[in-house]
Amino acid sequence: MKTFKILIAALLAASIVFAMASCSSDKTNSKNTTVTTEKKVTTSSARTKVESDYDIKDVDDLTVPVGTSEDDVKSQLPANVDVLMKGTPTGTSETLFTESFESIDSFSENWNIVGPEGIVSIENGAMATTVKSNYFRTYLKDQPWMNIDSDDYANYVVRAVVQGHEQNPSNNFGIIFRTTNVLENGPDGYDGIYVGIGDPSGQVCIGCAQNNWTQIFTYDFDYLPEQSYTIEVVVFNDKYAVLLDNELIYEGECVSSSGTPYINGTVGIRTYEQLFSCSEFSVRTLGASDYEHFEDGYTYYESHPVEWSCTDYNPSAKGKYGFVGKVTDLENAYILAIVQVKEDA
């Protein structure tokens, strides 16, 4: 029994020693050797709120490996940034495309048609739908001014004269623009913006499609069947302006419901289950007066030199850092770039 008590006492003593070791600082082990802990920071510079008198195009985030010096980071950031400037437009508008609606054969040379077979009829200088369909659209085949498959804006003015043939339209008809990825079925099987007129209440309907539909804006007016209406859309960089019979009714941004910008693309005509016709269709470049439809007037991006700095950069610590870019030849022009330091960048 005495031996058993001695054994229990020894075990209790050992457990106390082990507990004391485990409660010691996590920066040392039982041999009092320093354990290296990983440095990872969320820096205050990454949360910097930059105030600027100018709008500047965002700079892509940069990722660098641990150990990259501040000078090396700066060398990888752009030496110039695009600054939005205001100016006075010059020049006159030039025609890019005009449809004469002479025959179905000549029409098919320039247009792709999505919808039931035989839905398009060309008569008396106009295109008309012959049956109601929930997925009719016809759009121009690729032309250089559409800037398809590029990162450049497709800027143009698209104009259509349309006429509804139902006393009480249940939906609308109109034009699409900055349109890409057109599918062969479905009412919203395309990426782009739509402006149509009609509906039971008589209104202009503006929305965007990305294989689903998002309503953007409606504008009420006194719709009449068999009356011609002119829809005109001025598309410039990241904005567009909508005119109905030469009256400005809306200015918006060329962006989808998910935030994806509509940068370029074709133009066309679309309807949802309505009988209608289009007697005029044209596309042209912007003239000086077209910029008056935008609140900021004529704007353009111009390249300017920039210098970068960061208040708390540590090449040895992983995390996100904010580098502030100061445009050197403009007063109070700043932009923020995020630089992430990672182990295996």
Side-chain angles (χ1 to χ4, degrees):
M1 178 63 70
K2 183 177 180 180
T3 302
F4 179 75
K5 288 181 178 180
I6 293 173
L7 179 61
I8 293 297
L11 290 173
L12 286 173
S15 65
I16 291 172
V17 172
F18 178 78
M20 291 176 64
S22 64
C23 292
S24 63
S25 171
D26 59 0
K27 295 185 179 180
T28 60
N29 59 19
S30 59
K31 295 182 180 180
N32 202 33
T33 302
T34 301
V35 176
T36 302
T37 57
E38 180 183 273
K39 291 183 179 180
K40 187 173 184 179
V41 298
T42 301
T43 70
S44 59
S45 64
R47 294 188 289 268
T48 301
K49 300 297 182 183
V50 173
E51 294 185 359
S52 175
D53 290 341
Y54 295 84
D55 290 329
I56 304 175
K57 275 188 179 180
D58 290 337
V59 174
D60 292 337
D61 292 350
L62 177 65
T63 301
V64 298
V66 171
T68 304
S69 70
E70 185 172 348
D71 286 340
D72 284 343
V73 172
K74 292 178 182 178
S75 69
Q76 295 181 53
L77 291 168
N80 294 274
V81 291
D82 292 327
V83 183
L84 189 66
M85 310 294 289
K86 292 186 178 182
T88 302
T90 59
T92 58
S93 177
E94 298 180 359
T95 299
L96 295 171
F97 177 84
T98 299
E99 177 56 58
S100 58
F101 299 114
E102 292 181 356
S103 68
I104 189 64
D105 290 336
S106 63
F107 182 82
S108 299
E109 290 178 2
N110 295 314
W111 298 76
N112 291 309
I113 300 173
V114 175
E117 185 175 356
I119 191 173
V120 172
S121 172
I122 305 293
E123 295 181 4
N124 302 319
M127 184 220 76
T129 52
T130 60
V131 295
K132 293 183 179 182
S133 172
N134 67 355
Y135 71 103
F136 170 73
R137 52 191 168 271
T138 180
Y139 59 98
L140 284 177
K141 297 176 181 179
D142 190 4
Q143 298 193 29
W145 49 265
M146 298 175 185
N147 286 341
I148 295 176
D149 296 328
S150 80
D151 294 327
D152 297 329
Y153 284 114
N155 294 330
Y156 44 67
V157 182
V158 54
R159 177 181 180 272
V161 177
V162 293
Q163 185 180 88
H165 303 308
E166 298 186 55
Q167 185 67 35
N168 298 302
S170 61
N171 225 288
N172 46 61
F173 47 89
I175 60 178
I176 54 177
F177 59 94
R178 288 265 179 98
T179 300
T180 57
N181 302 323
V182 183
L183 305 180
E184 294 300 313
N185 52 32
D188 309 315
Y190 63 97
D191 293 347
I193 307 175
Y194 168 75
V195 179
I197 65 174
D199 291 336
S201 59
Q203 63 181 12
V204 175
C205 168
I206 301 175
C208 63
Q210 210 170 21
N211 209 20
N212 53 36
W213 174 254
T214 300
Q215 187 97 327
I216 296 175
F217 178 78
T218 58
Y219 173 81
D220 293 333
F221 74 106
D222 295 327
Y223 169 83
L224 294 173
E226 308 302 335
Q227 178 168 318
S228 294
Y229 294 98
T230 300
I231 303 173
E232 192 169 41
V233 181
V234 183
V235 194
F236 176 61
N237 291 351
D238 59 346
K239 295 181 175 61
Y240 66 98
V242 178
L243 292 85
L244 177 66
D245 291 339
N246 298 316
E247 177 187 353
L248 177 66
I249 63 172
Y250 180 75
E251 179 186 350
E253 295 184 352
C254 296
V255 62
S256 72
S257 58
S258 63
T260 303
Y262 296 115
I263 296 175
N264 46 44
T266 184
V267 297
I269 307 167
R270 175 186 181 270
T271 185
Y272 186 89
E273 296 183 343
Q274 299 303 297
L275 297 175
F276 82 108
S277 59
C278 178
S279 56
E280 296 180 34
F281 189 94
S282 62
V283 187
R284 60 179 176 83
T285 62
L286 278 70
S289 62
D290 291 309
Y291 299 98
E292 297 174 2
H293 301 308
F294 298 100
E295 182 179 356
D296 294 333
Y298 174 63
T299 58
Y300 62 97
Y301 282 102
E302 185 176 75
S303 180
H304 287 262
V306 63
E307 292 181 350
W308 299 96
S309 63
C310 181
T311 58
D312 56 8
Y313 182 70
N314 184 350
S316 301
K318 294 188 289 186
K320 291 184 178 180
Y321 298 86
F323 277 71
V324 176
K326 181 184 184 302
V327 178
T328 58
D329 61 346
L330 295 174
E331 291 291 334
N332 199 35
Y334 297 94
I335 185 174
L336 181 69
I338 299 299
V339 177
Q340 184 166 5
V341 178
K342 297 179 69 175
E343 189 70 45
D344 299 314

